[in-house]
Amino acid sequence: MLFRSGKLFEYIGTGRPVLGIGPKHGAAAKIINECEAGELFSRDEEKEIYQFLKDKVAAWLNGKEDSVPLEKRKKYTRRSLAEQLSKIIRS
């Protein structure tokens, strides 16, 4: 899934694997890796992107679709982020 960084949390929240294209050492890549939510590729990695998609489709066709572990993505839910913001505002 291509995304703007502001949408990343919503995509992770779906529990579906995320396909990102952008800086491999940026904040989005760190979050995707931390959550085990998918992979982030640079623009010139066409073969790797193709293989990622091919693997995900094959898994889906075989009934073994990946999902992002709830415990990994929990801190990026709207509720959790709102609670964190509330704590910051109150302090």
Side-chain angles (χ1 to χ4, degrees):
M1 187 175 287
L2 298 174
F3 58 85
R4 293 187 166 278
S5 57
K7 293 283 187 179
L8 177 59
F9 302 124
E10 291 182 36
Y11 294 139
I12 290 173
T14 69
R16 307 293 248 194
V18 175
L19 164 61
I21 298 175
K24 293 192 74 151
H25 301 290
K30 180 182 175 193
I31 292 168
I32 290 170
N33 290 331
E34 174 188 326
C35 294
E36 299 173 18
E39 290 190 46
L40 194 129
F41 300 93
S42 62
R43 295 184 187 273
D44 61 345
E45 292 183 290
E46 293 96 358
K47 291 178 184 174
E48 292 84 354
I49 294 168
Y50 174 78
Q51 189 62 50
F52 176 85
L53 290 170
K54 187 176 172 183
D55 292 345
K56 297 303 175 193
V57 170
W60 177 74
L61 289 173
N62 290 315
K64 298 178 182 179
E65 187 173 6
D66 287 342
S67 64
V68 179
L70 179 60
E71 63 277 359
K72 297 280 185 172
R73 61 184 156 103
K74 197 173 187 179
K75 78 179 202 177
Y76 293 111
T77 63
R78 285 180 187 248
R79 167 169 264 157
S80 179
L81 292 171
E83 287 173 1
Q84 290 175 40
L85 179 59
S86 175
K87 289 177 185 176
I88 292 169
I89 292 170
R90 290 180 184 171
S91 64

